[in-house]
Short mmCIF file of all heavy atoms in Angstrom, two decimals:
data_model
loop_
_atom_site.label_atom_id
_atom_site.label_comp_id
_atom_site.label_asym_id
_atom_site.label_seq_id
_atom_site.Cartn_x
_atom_site.Cartn_y
_atom_site.Cartn_z
N MET A 1 0.84 -1.20 0.01
CA MET A 1 0.00 0.00 0.00
C MET A 1 0.87 1.24 -0.01
O MET A 1 1.09 1.88 1.02
CB MET A 1 -0.91 0.00 1.22
CG MET A 1 -1.91 -1.14 1.26
SD MET A 1 -3.10 -1.03 -0.05
CE MET A 1 -4.12 -2.51 0.29
N ALA A 2 1.41 1.58 -1.13
CA ALA A 2 2.33 2.70 -1.20
C ALA A 2 1.62 4.03 -1.14
O ALA A 2 2.22 5.03 -0.78
CB ALA A 2 3.14 2.63 -2.49
N ASN A 3 0.35 4.05 -1.50
CA ASN A 3 -0.34 5.34 -1.56
C ASN A 3 -1.28 5.58 -0.37
O ASN A 3 -2.23 6.31 -0.44
CB ASN A 3 -1.13 5.45 -2.88
CG ASN A 3 -2.11 4.32 -3.04
OD1 ASN A 3 -2.10 3.40 -2.23
ND2 ASN A 3 -2.92 4.37 -4.07
N THR A 4 -1.02 4.90 0.73
CA THR A 4 -1.79 5.11 1.92
C THR A 4 -1.44 6.47 2.53
O THR A 4 -0.27 6.82 2.66
CB THR A 4 -1.50 4.03 2.96
OG1 THR A 4 -1.81 2.77 2.39
CG2 THR A 4 -2.35 4.22 4.22
N ILE A 5 -2.47 7.24 2.90
CA ILE A 5 -2.28 8.56 3.48
C ILE A 5 -2.57 8.48 4.97
O ILE A 5 -3.64 8.16 5.37
CB ILE A 5 -3.20 9.59 2.81
CG1 ILE A 5 -2.93 9.61 1.30
CG2 ILE A 5 -3.03 10.95 3.43
CD1 ILE A 5 -3.98 10.41 0.54
N TRP A 6 -1.57 8.81 5.77
CA TRP A 6 -1.74 8.90 7.21
C TRP A 6 -1.55 10.31 7.68
O TRP A 6 -0.64 10.97 7.28
CB TRP A 6 -0.71 8.01 7.92
CG TRP A 6 -0.97 6.55 7.81
CD1 TRP A 6 -2.03 5.93 7.17
CD2 TRP A 6 -0.18 5.49 8.37
NE1 TRP A 6 -1.92 4.56 7.29
CE2 TRP A 6 -0.81 4.28 8.01
CE3 TRP A 6 0.98 5.48 9.14
CZ2 TRP A 6 -0.27 3.03 8.41
CZ3 TRP A 6 1.49 4.25 9.52
CH2 TRP A 6 0.86 3.05 9.17
N THR A 7 -2.49 10.75 8.49
CA THR A 7 -2.32 12.05 9.11
C THR A 7 -2.60 11.90 10.61
O THR A 7 -3.38 11.04 11.01
CB THR A 7 -3.31 13.09 8.53
OG1 THR A 7 -4.63 12.60 8.59
CG2 THR A 7 -2.98 13.41 7.08
N THR A 8 -2.00 12.78 11.40
CA THR A 8 -2.22 12.73 12.83
C THR A 8 -3.21 13.82 13.23
O THR A 8 -3.06 14.99 12.82
CB THR A 8 -0.90 12.93 13.59
OG1 THR A 8 0.00 11.89 13.20
CG2 THR A 8 -1.10 12.88 15.09
N GLU A 9 -4.21 13.44 14.00
CA GLU A 9 -5.16 14.40 14.48
C GLU A 9 -5.23 14.40 16.00
O GLU A 9 -4.86 13.41 16.62
CB GLU A 9 -6.56 14.09 13.91
CG GLU A 9 -6.59 14.21 12.39
CD GLU A 9 -8.00 14.25 11.83
OE1 GLU A 9 -8.95 14.34 12.61
OE2 GLU A 9 -8.10 14.19 10.61
N GLU A 10 -5.67 15.51 16.55
CA GLU A 10 -5.72 15.66 17.99
C GLU A 10 -7.18 15.70 18.47
O GLU A 10 -8.06 16.27 17.80
CB GLU A 10 -5.03 16.93 18.43
CG GLU A 10 -3.54 16.90 18.15
CD GLU A 10 -2.87 18.15 18.70
OE1 GLU A 10 -3.38 18.76 19.62
OE2 GLU A 10 -1.79 18.47 18.19
N PHE A 11 -7.42 15.09 19.62
CA PHE A 11 -8.74 15.05 20.20
C PHE A 11 -8.64 15.34 21.66
O PHE A 11 -7.62 15.08 22.30
CB PHE A 11 -9.38 13.67 20.01
CG PHE A 11 -9.55 13.28 18.56
CD1 PHE A 11 -8.52 12.58 17.92
CD2 PHE A 11 -10.68 13.65 17.86
CE1 PHE A 11 -8.66 12.22 16.59
CE2 PHE A 11 -10.79 13.31 16.52
CZ PHE A 11 -9.78 12.58 15.89
N THR A 12 -9.72 15.90 22.23
CA THR A 12 -9.74 16.17 23.67
C THR A 12 -10.99 15.51 24.27
O THR A 12 -12.08 15.63 23.71
CB THR A 12 -9.80 17.68 23.92
OG1 THR A 12 -8.67 18.31 23.35
CG2 THR A 12 -9.84 17.99 25.43
N CYS A 13 -10.79 14.82 25.39
CA CYS A 13 -11.94 14.23 26.06
C CYS A 13 -12.80 15.36 26.64
O CYS A 13 -12.33 16.19 27.39
CB CYS A 13 -11.43 13.32 27.20
SG CYS A 13 -12.78 12.65 28.19
N GLU A 14 -14.06 15.37 26.26
CA GLU A 14 -14.97 16.43 26.72
C GLU A 14 -15.26 16.30 28.22
O GLU A 14 -15.61 17.24 28.88
CB GLU A 14 -16.29 16.33 25.99
CG GLU A 14 -16.16 16.51 24.48
CD GLU A 14 -16.24 17.99 24.08
OE1 GLU A 14 -16.81 18.75 24.87
OE2 GLU A 14 -15.74 18.33 23.00
N SER A 15 -15.06 15.10 28.73
CA SER A 15 -15.43 14.84 30.13
C SER A 15 -14.32 15.23 31.11
O SER A 15 -14.59 15.94 32.09
CB SER A 15 -15.77 13.37 30.27
OG SER A 15 -16.11 13.09 31.60
N CYS A 16 -13.07 14.85 30.83
CA CYS A 16 -12.02 15.11 31.80
C CYS A 16 -10.90 15.99 31.23
O CYS A 16 -9.97 16.37 31.95
CB CYS A 16 -11.42 13.82 32.32
SG CYS A 16 -10.43 12.90 31.11
N GLY A 17 -10.93 16.30 29.94
CA GLY A 17 -9.97 17.22 29.37
C GLY A 17 -8.66 16.57 28.90
O GLY A 17 -7.74 17.25 28.51
N MET A 18 -8.58 15.25 28.98
CA MET A 18 -7.38 14.55 28.52
C MET A 18 -7.26 14.71 27.01
O MET A 18 -8.24 14.62 26.29
CB MET A 18 -7.50 13.09 28.89
CG MET A 18 -6.22 12.32 28.72
SD MET A 18 -4.95 12.84 29.86
CE MET A 18 -3.50 12.15 29.07
N ASN A 19 -6.01 14.93 26.59
CA ASN A 19 -5.75 15.10 25.15
C ASN A 19 -5.17 13.80 24.56
O ASN A 19 -4.38 13.11 25.22
CB ASN A 19 -4.76 16.24 24.92
CG ASN A 19 -5.39 17.58 25.26
OD1 ASN A 19 -6.36 17.99 24.65
ND2 ASN A 19 -4.83 18.23 26.26
N TYR A 20 -5.58 13.53 23.37
CA TYR A 20 -5.09 12.36 22.67
C TYR A 20 -4.72 12.71 21.24
O TYR A 20 -5.28 13.65 20.68
CB TYR A 20 -6.19 11.27 22.60
CG TYR A 20 -6.54 10.68 23.95
CD1 TYR A 20 -7.62 11.21 24.67
CD2 TYR A 20 -5.81 9.64 24.48
CE1 TYR A 20 -7.94 10.67 25.91
CE2 TYR A 20 -6.13 9.10 25.71
CZ TYR A 20 -7.19 9.61 26.45
OH TYR A 20 -7.51 9.08 27.65
N THR A 21 -3.82 11.96 20.68
CA THR A 21 -3.57 12.02 19.27
C THR A 21 -3.88 10.67 18.68
O THR A 21 -3.77 9.62 19.35
CB THR A 21 -2.12 12.38 18.93
OG1 THR A 21 -1.25 11.39 19.46
CG2 THR A 21 -1.74 13.74 19.48
N ALA A 22 -4.31 10.66 17.43
CA ALA A 22 -4.57 9.40 16.74
C ALA A 22 -4.15 9.55 15.28
O ALA A 22 -4.12 10.66 14.72
CB ALA A 22 -6.07 9.08 16.81
N THR A 23 -3.79 8.44 14.72
CA THR A 23 -3.41 8.45 13.30
C THR A 23 -4.63 8.10 12.47
O THR A 23 -5.32 7.10 12.72
CB THR A 23 -2.30 7.43 13.06
OG1 THR A 23 -1.20 7.70 13.90
CG2 THR A 23 -1.83 7.49 11.60
N ARG A 24 -4.89 8.96 11.50
CA ARG A 24 -6.03 8.76 10.62
C ARG A 24 -5.54 8.15 9.29
O ARG A 24 -4.61 8.64 8.70
CB ARG A 24 -6.69 10.12 10.33
CG ARG A 24 -7.79 10.04 9.28
CD ARG A 24 -8.38 11.43 9.07
NE ARG A 24 -9.20 11.45 7.87
CZ ARG A 24 -10.36 12.09 7.76
NH1 ARG A 24 -10.82 12.77 8.79
NH2 ARG A 24 -11.04 12.07 6.65
N GLU A 25 -6.20 7.08 8.94
CA GLU A 25 -5.83 6.38 7.72
C GLU A 25 -7.01 6.37 6.77
O GLU A 25 -8.13 5.99 7.14
CB GLU A 25 -5.44 4.93 8.07
CG GLU A 25 -5.03 4.11 6.84
CD GLU A 25 -4.75 2.68 7.21
OE1 GLU A 25 -5.20 2.20 8.23
OE2 GLU A 25 -4.01 2.02 6.46
N GLU A 26 -6.81 6.81 5.56
CA GLU A 26 -7.86 6.82 4.56
C GLU A 26 -8.14 5.42 4.07
O GLU A 26 -7.21 4.61 3.93
CB GLU A 26 -7.48 7.73 3.37
CG GLU A 26 -7.17 9.15 3.77
CD GLU A 26 -8.35 9.86 4.44
OE1 GLU A 26 -9.49 9.58 4.01
OE2 GLU A 26 -8.13 10.62 5.36
N HIS A 27 -9.40 5.10 3.83
CA HIS A 27 -9.77 3.79 3.36
C HIS A 27 -10.66 3.90 2.15
O HIS A 27 -11.49 4.80 2.04
CB HIS A 27 -10.54 3.02 4.45
CG HIS A 27 -9.65 2.32 5.41
ND1 HIS A 27 -9.10 1.10 5.12
CD2 HIS A 27 -9.24 2.65 6.64
CE1 HIS A 27 -8.36 0.71 6.17
NE2 HIS A 27 -8.42 1.61 7.10
N PRO A 28 -10.56 2.96 1.23
CA PRO A 28 -11.44 2.98 0.06
C PRO A 28 -12.84 2.51 0.41
O PRO A 28 -13.81 2.76 -0.33
CB PRO A 28 -10.77 2.02 -0.91
CG PRO A 28 -9.97 1.12 -0.03
CD PRO A 28 -9.54 1.94 1.15
N ASP A 29 -13.00 1.81 1.52
CA ASP A 29 -14.29 1.35 1.96
C ASP A 29 -14.67 2.01 3.29
O ASP A 29 -13.83 2.54 3.99
CB ASP A 29 -14.32 -0.16 2.09
CG ASP A 29 -13.20 -0.68 2.99
OD1 ASP A 29 -12.12 -0.03 2.99
OD2 ASP A 29 -13.42 -1.66 3.71
N LYS A 30 -15.94 1.97 3.59
CA LYS A 30 -16.44 2.68 4.74
C LYS A 30 -16.12 1.96 6.05
O LYS A 30 -16.28 0.75 6.15
CB LYS A 30 -17.97 2.89 4.63
CG LYS A 30 -18.46 4.09 5.39
CD LYS A 30 -19.88 4.40 4.98
CE LYS A 30 -20.32 5.71 5.65
NZ LYS A 30 -21.71 6.05 5.32
N ARG A 31 -15.66 2.70 7.02
CA ARG A 31 -15.33 2.15 8.34
C ARG A 31 -16.04 2.98 9.40
O ARG A 31 -16.38 4.11 9.20
CB ARG A 31 -13.81 2.26 8.60
CG ARG A 31 -12.95 1.53 7.60
CD ARG A 31 -13.08 0.03 7.75
NE ARG A 31 -12.17 -0.66 6.85
CZ ARG A 31 -10.99 -1.14 7.22
NH1 ARG A 31 -10.56 -1.00 8.44
NH2 ARG A 31 -10.23 -1.77 6.34
N SER A 32 -16.20 2.34 10.53
CA SER A 32 -16.67 3.09 11.70
C SER A 32 -16.04 2.53 12.92
O SER A 32 -15.60 1.39 12.97
CB SER A 32 -18.21 3.06 11.80
OG SER A 32 -18.62 1.74 12.08
N GLY A 33 -15.97 3.35 13.96
CA GLY A 33 -15.41 2.91 15.19
C GLY A 33 -15.48 4.04 16.24
O GLY A 33 -15.99 5.12 15.94
N SER A 34 -14.97 3.78 17.40
CA SER A 34 -14.97 4.80 18.41
C SER A 34 -13.79 4.58 19.37
O SER A 34 -13.22 3.50 19.42
CB SER A 34 -16.27 4.81 19.20
OG SER A 34 -16.43 3.58 19.90
N PHE A 35 -13.46 5.64 20.07
CA PHE A 35 -12.39 5.54 21.05
C PHE A 35 -12.88 6.12 22.38
O PHE A 35 -13.49 7.21 22.40
CB PHE A 35 -11.16 6.34 20.58
CG PHE A 35 -10.06 6.40 21.62
CD1 PHE A 35 -9.24 5.31 21.84
CD2 PHE A 35 -9.87 7.53 22.38
CE1 PHE A 35 -8.25 5.34 22.81
CE2 PHE A 35 -8.85 7.61 23.34
CZ PHE A 35 -8.05 6.48 23.55
N SER A 36 -12.67 5.39 23.43
CA SER A 36 -13.08 5.85 24.75
C SER A 36 -11.87 6.28 25.58
O SER A 36 -10.80 5.67 25.48
CB SER A 36 -13.82 4.73 25.50
OG SER A 36 -15.04 4.42 24.84
N CYS A 37 -12.06 7.33 26.37
CA CYS A 37 -11.01 7.89 27.22
C CYS A 37 -10.47 6.83 28.17
O CYS A 37 -11.23 6.07 28.78
CB CYS A 37 -11.58 9.07 28.01
SG CYS A 37 -10.40 9.87 29.07
N ARG A 38 -9.15 6.78 28.27
CA ARG A 38 -8.54 5.80 29.16
C ARG A 38 -8.63 6.26 30.62
O ARG A 38 -8.36 5.46 31.53
CB ARG A 38 -7.09 5.59 28.77
CG ARG A 38 -6.99 4.84 27.44
CD ARG A 38 -5.59 4.87 26.89
NE ARG A 38 -5.57 4.30 25.53
CZ ARG A 38 -4.59 4.45 24.68
NH1 ARG A 38 -3.54 5.19 24.97
NH2 ARG A 38 -4.63 3.90 23.48
N ILE A 39 -8.93 7.50 30.84
CA ILE A 39 -8.99 8.02 32.22
C ILE A 39 -10.42 7.85 32.75
O ILE A 39 -10.62 7.27 33.82
CB ILE A 39 -8.59 9.51 32.28
CG1 ILE A 39 -7.24 9.73 31.59
CG2 ILE A 39 -8.59 10.02 33.72
CD1 ILE A 39 -6.09 8.98 32.26
N CYS A 40 -11.39 8.37 32.04
CA CYS A 40 -12.75 8.38 32.58
C CYS A 40 -13.75 7.53 31.75
O CYS A 40 -14.89 7.47 32.10
CB CYS A 40 -13.25 9.84 32.64
SG CYS A 40 -13.53 10.58 31.04
N ASN A 41 -13.27 6.94 30.72
CA ASN A 41 -14.05 5.98 29.90
C ASN A 41 -15.17 6.66 29.09
O ASN A 41 -16.04 5.99 28.54
CB ASN A 41 -14.63 4.88 30.76
CG ASN A 41 -14.71 3.57 30.02
OD1 ASN A 41 -13.85 3.28 29.20
ND2 ASN A 41 -15.70 2.78 30.29
N ALA A 42 -15.17 7.99 29.00
CA ALA A 42 -16.14 8.67 28.15
C ALA A 42 -15.72 8.52 26.68
O ALA A 42 -14.54 8.33 26.37
CB ALA A 42 -16.21 10.13 28.49
N GLU A 43 -16.68 8.58 25.80
CA GLU A 43 -16.35 8.49 24.39
C GLU A 43 -15.69 9.78 23.90
O GLU A 43 -16.25 10.83 24.01
CB GLU A 43 -17.64 8.21 23.58
CG GLU A 43 -17.31 7.97 22.11
CD GLU A 43 -18.56 7.60 21.31
OE1 GLU A 43 -18.89 6.40 21.28
OE2 GLU A 43 -19.20 8.53 20.79
N VAL A 44 -14.48 9.64 23.41
CA VAL A 44 -13.75 10.82 22.94
C VAL A 44 -14.08 11.11 21.48
O VAL A 44 -14.24 12.24 21.10
CB VAL A 44 -12.23 10.57 23.10
CG1 VAL A 44 -11.41 11.73 22.51
CG2 VAL A 44 -11.86 10.40 24.57
N HIS A 45 -14.13 10.08 20.70
CA HIS A 45 -14.42 10.29 19.27
C HIS A 45 -15.11 9.10 18.66
O HIS A 45 -14.73 7.95 18.96
CB HIS A 45 -13.11 10.60 18.52
CG HIS A 45 -13.32 10.97 17.09
ND1 HIS A 45 -14.04 12.10 16.76
CD2 HIS A 45 -12.91 10.45 15.94
CE1 HIS A 45 -14.06 12.22 15.44
NE2 HIS A 45 -13.38 11.22 14.90
N TYR A 46 -16.09 9.40 17.85
CA TYR A 46 -16.74 8.35 17.04
C TYR A 46 -16.59 8.73 15.60
O TYR A 46 -16.77 9.89 15.23
CB TYR A 46 -18.21 8.22 17.44
CG TYR A 46 -19.00 7.36 16.48
CD1 TYR A 46 -19.01 5.96 16.65
CD2 TYR A 46 -19.73 7.90 15.42
CE1 TYR A 46 -19.69 5.16 15.79
CE2 TYR A 46 -20.40 7.11 14.54
CZ TYR A 46 -20.39 5.72 14.71
OH TYR A 46 -21.08 4.93 13.84
N TRP A 47 -16.25 7.76 14.76
CA TRP A 47 -16.11 8.09 13.35
C TRP A 47 -16.86 7.07 12.49
O TRP A 47 -17.05 5.94 12.88
CB TRP A 47 -14.64 8.16 12.95
CG TRP A 47 -13.90 6.84 13.08
CD1 TRP A 47 -13.74 5.91 12.10
CD2 TRP A 47 -13.22 6.33 14.25
NE1 TRP A 47 -13.00 4.86 12.56
CE2 TRP A 47 -12.68 5.08 13.88
CE3 TRP A 47 -13.06 6.83 15.52
CZ2 TRP A 47 -11.95 4.30 14.77
CZ3 TRP A 47 -12.31 6.02 16.42
CH2 TRP A 47 -11.79 4.82 16.04
N SER A 48 -17.28 7.57 11.34
CA SER A 48 -17.95 6.72 10.36
C SER A 48 -17.70 7.32 9.00
O SER A 48 -18.06 8.47 8.74
CB SER A 48 -19.45 6.65 10.66
OG SER A 48 -20.08 5.83 9.66
N GLY A 49 -17.04 6.62 8.15
CA GLY A 49 -16.71 7.19 6.83
C GLY A 49 -15.56 6.44 6.21
O GLY A 49 -15.23 5.32 6.66
N TYR A 50 -14.97 7.06 5.24
CA TYR A 50 -13.89 6.39 4.48
C TYR A 50 -12.53 6.62 5.12
O TYR A 50 -11.58 7.01 4.47
CB TYR A 50 -13.94 6.87 3.05
CG TYR A 50 -15.22 6.45 2.36
CD1 TYR A 50 -16.31 7.31 2.34
CD2 TYR A 50 -15.32 5.20 1.76
CE1 TYR A 50 -17.50 6.92 1.73
CE2 TYR A 50 -16.51 4.77 1.16
CZ TYR A 50 -17.60 5.65 1.16
OH TYR A 50 -18.78 5.25 0.57
N HIS A 51 -12.48 6.40 6.40
CA HIS A 51 -11.23 6.54 7.13
C HIS A 51 -11.33 5.77 8.44
O HIS A 51 -12.41 5.34 8.84
CB HIS A 51 -10.93 8.02 7.40
CG HIS A 51 -12.03 8.74 8.12
ND1 HIS A 51 -13.07 9.34 7.45
CD2 HIS A 51 -12.26 8.90 9.43
CE1 HIS A 51 -13.89 9.88 8.36
NE2 HIS A 51 -13.42 9.63 9.54
N HIS A 52 -10.19 5.60 9.06
CA HIS A 52 -10.13 4.86 10.32
C HIS A 52 -9.09 5.53 11.19
O HIS A 52 -8.14 6.13 10.69
CB HIS A 52 -9.73 3.39 10.00
CG HIS A 52 -9.85 2.51 11.21
ND1 HIS A 52 -11.07 2.14 11.74
CD2 HIS A 52 -8.93 1.90 11.99
CE1 HIS A 52 -10.86 1.35 12.77
NE2 HIS A 52 -9.57 1.18 12.94
N PHE A 53 -9.30 5.48 12.50
CA PHE A 53 -8.32 6.05 13.43
C PHE A 53 -7.67 4.92 14.23
O PHE A 53 -8.35 4.03 14.71
CB PHE A 53 -8.99 7.03 14.37
CG PHE A 53 -9.38 8.33 13.73
CD1 PHE A 53 -10.67 8.51 13.25
CD2 PHE A 53 -8.44 9.35 13.59
CE1 PHE A 53 -11.03 9.72 12.65
CE2 PHE A 53 -8.81 10.55 12.98
CZ PHE A 53 -10.10 10.75 12.53
N PHE A 54 -6.38 5.01 14.37
CA PHE A 54 -5.66 4.01 15.18
C PHE A 54 -4.46 4.69 15.86
O PHE A 54 -4.22 5.86 15.66
CB PHE A 54 -5.24 2.81 14.34
CG PHE A 54 -4.17 3.14 13.31
CD1 PHE A 54 -2.85 2.80 13.56
CD2 PHE A 54 -4.51 3.78 12.15
CE1 PHE A 54 -1.88 3.11 12.63
CE2 PHE A 54 -3.51 4.09 11.22
CZ PHE A 54 -2.22 3.75 11.46
N ASN A 55 -3.75 3.91 16.64
CA ASN A 55 -2.55 4.41 17.33
C ASN A 55 -2.90 5.57 18.26
O ASN A 55 -2.23 6.60 18.30
CB ASN A 55 -1.47 4.83 16.32
CG ASN A 55 -0.12 5.06 17.00
OD1 ASN A 55 0.19 4.44 18.00
ND2 ASN A 55 0.67 5.94 16.42
N TRP A 56 -3.94 5.38 19.07
CA TRP A 56 -4.34 6.42 20.02
C TRP A 56 -3.28 6.55 21.13
O TRP A 56 -2.85 5.55 21.71
CB TRP A 56 -5.68 6.02 20.64
CG TRP A 56 -6.81 6.20 19.65
CD1 TRP A 56 -7.26 5.29 18.78
CD2 TRP A 56 -7.60 7.38 19.47
NE1 TRP A 56 -8.31 5.80 18.04
CE2 TRP A 56 -8.55 7.10 18.45
CE3 TRP A 56 -7.63 8.64 20.11
CZ2 TRP A 56 -9.49 8.03 18.04
CZ3 TRP A 56 -8.58 9.57 19.67
CH2 TRP A 56 -9.49 9.27 18.65
N GLN A 57 -2.90 7.78 21.38
CA GLN A 57 -1.89 8.03 22.42
C GLN A 57 -2.30 9.23 23.27
O GLN A 57 -2.76 10.24 22.73
CB GLN A 57 -0.52 8.29 21.79
CG GLN A 57 0.05 7.06 21.07
CD GLN A 57 1.44 7.31 20.60
OE1 GLN A 57 1.79 8.39 20.13
NE2 GLN A 57 2.28 6.27 20.69
N ALA A 58 -2.11 9.09 24.55
CA ALA A 58 -2.40 10.20 25.47
C ALA A 58 -1.33 11.26 25.37
O ALA A 58 -0.15 10.96 25.20
CB ALA A 58 -2.48 9.69 26.88
N VAL A 59 -1.74 12.52 25.43
CA VAL A 59 -0.82 13.65 25.36
C VAL A 59 -0.89 14.36 26.70
O VAL A 59 -1.96 14.78 27.14
CB VAL A 59 -1.20 14.63 24.23
CG1 VAL A 59 -0.25 15.81 24.20
CG2 VAL A 59 -1.22 13.90 22.90
N ARG A 60 0.23 14.46 27.36
CA ARG A 60 0.22 15.02 28.72
C ARG A 60 0.64 16.48 28.81
O ARG A 60 0.25 17.16 29.73
CB ARG A 60 1.18 14.19 29.60
CG ARG A 60 0.72 12.76 29.71
CD ARG A 60 1.72 11.95 30.55
NE ARG A 60 1.35 10.52 30.55
CZ ARG A 60 0.42 10.00 31.36
NH1 ARG A 60 -0.21 10.81 32.20
NH2 ARG A 60 0.13 8.73 31.30
N SER A 61 1.43 16.95 27.88
CA SER A 61 2.05 18.24 28.06
C SER A 61 1.35 19.34 27.24
O SER A 61 1.99 20.16 26.61
CB SER A 61 3.52 18.15 27.61
OG SER A 61 3.59 17.76 26.25
N LYS A 62 0.03 19.34 27.26
CA LYS A 62 -0.66 20.42 26.58
C LYS A 62 -1.49 21.24 27.55
O LYS A 62 -1.73 20.84 28.68
CB LYS A 62 -1.58 19.84 25.50
CG LYS A 62 -0.79 19.12 24.43
CD LYS A 62 -1.57 19.03 23.14
CE LYS A 62 -1.50 20.37 22.41
NZ LYS A 62 -2.17 20.30 21.08
N VAL A 63 -1.90 22.43 27.10
CA VAL A 63 -2.72 23.26 27.92
C VAL A 63 -4.09 22.58 28.14
O VAL A 63 -4.74 22.23 27.17
CB VAL A 63 -2.94 24.65 27.27
CG1 VAL A 63 -3.84 25.51 28.10
CG2 VAL A 63 -1.60 25.32 27.04
N PRO A 64 -4.48 22.39 29.38
CA PRO A 64 -5.75 21.72 29.60
C PRO A 64 -6.96 22.55 29.15
O PRO A 64 -6.89 23.78 29.12
CB PRO A 64 -5.78 21.51 31.13
CG PRO A 64 -4.78 22.47 31.67
CD PRO A 64 -3.77 22.71 30.58
N VAL A 65 -7.99 21.86 28.79
CA VAL A 65 -9.19 22.53 28.27
C VAL A 65 -10.31 22.31 29.28
O VAL A 65 -11.43 21.96 28.93
CB VAL A 65 -9.57 21.98 26.87
CG1 VAL A 65 -10.60 22.85 26.21
CG2 VAL A 65 -8.33 21.89 26.00
N PHE A 66 -10.00 22.54 30.55
CA PHE A 66 -11.04 22.38 31.55
C PHE A 66 -12.00 23.57 31.54
O PHE A 66 -11.70 24.60 30.93
CB PHE A 66 -10.37 22.33 32.93
CG PHE A 66 -9.53 21.09 33.12
CD1 PHE A 66 -8.18 21.21 33.39
CD2 PHE A 66 -10.10 19.85 33.00
CE1 PHE A 66 -7.40 20.09 33.57
CE2 PHE A 66 -9.33 18.71 33.16
CZ PHE A 66 -7.97 18.84 33.45
N GLY A 67 -13.11 23.39 32.15
CA GLY A 67 -14.06 24.48 32.31
C GLY A 67 -14.87 24.80 31.07
O GLY A 67 -15.39 25.88 30.90
N LYS A 68 -14.94 23.85 30.14
CA LYS A 68 -15.71 24.05 28.95
C LYS A 68 -17.16 23.73 29.23
O LYS A 68 -17.59 22.60 29.16
CB LYS A 68 -15.15 23.16 27.85
CG LYS A 68 -15.73 23.42 26.47
CD LYS A 68 -15.08 22.51 25.45
CE LYS A 68 -15.70 22.72 24.06
NZ LYS A 68 -15.14 21.77 23.11
N LYS A 69 -17.94 24.76 29.59
CA LYS A 69 -19.32 24.53 29.97
C LYS A 69 -20.25 25.34 29.10
O LYS A 69 -19.90 26.37 28.59
CB LYS A 69 -19.49 24.94 31.44
CG LYS A 69 -18.77 24.00 32.38
CD LYS A 69 -18.88 24.49 33.82
CE LYS A 69 -18.12 23.58 34.77
NZ LYS A 69 -18.09 24.11 36.14
N LYS A 70 -21.49 24.84 29.00
CA LYS A 70 -22.47 25.58 28.22
C LYS A 70 -23.71 25.82 29.07
O LYS A 70 -24.05 24.99 29.93
CB LYS A 70 -22.86 24.74 26.98
CG LYS A 70 -21.76 24.75 25.95
CD LYS A 70 -22.19 23.91 24.70
CE LYS A 70 -21.04 23.88 23.71
NZ LYS A 70 -21.37 23.04 22.56
ZN1 ZN B 1 -11.79 11.52 29.84
#
């Protein structure tokens, strides 16, 4: 698969503010999946489409996004 496109995207847990990065891989067929926070088990991201996310990693050294209330 020489023409596979991988990009890294960042996500933040809405519940506890933990940051994650994941590698996005384009797919010719439709995929879906989800990732749950390793700290509080809330769903961080759900995807459905012609891509897939893998290699989820926690990011510790970023500015926290606490206090995001509506
Ligand atoms: Zn969390």
Side-chain angles (χ1 to χ4, degrees):
M1 296 295 181
N3 57 354
T4 302
I5 302 169
W6 287 359
T7 54
T8 300
E9 296 195 9
E10 294 185 24
F11 300 92
T12 302
C13 176
E14 299 272 337
S15 180
C16 72
M18 190 68 196
N19 292 297
Y20 293 94
T21 61
T23 304
R24 173 180 167 140
E25 181 183 22
E26 302 300 323
H27 274 280
D29 54 327
K30 206 168 186 181
R31 300 290 184 98
S32 66
S34 63
F35 174 77
S36 294
C37 181
R38 288 168 188 164
I39 307 298
C40 70
N41 214 35
E43 186 176 273
V44 175
H45 187 60
Y46 169 83
W47 63 93
S48 178
Y50 296 93
H51 56 271
H52 190 71
F53 288 96
F54 68 101
N55 193 29
W56 287 88
Q57 294 187 321
V59 179
R60 297 177 185 279
S61 60
K62 297 203 77 175
V63 177
V65 193
F66 295 120
K68 188 179 178 184
K69 291 176 182 173
K70 287 180 182 177

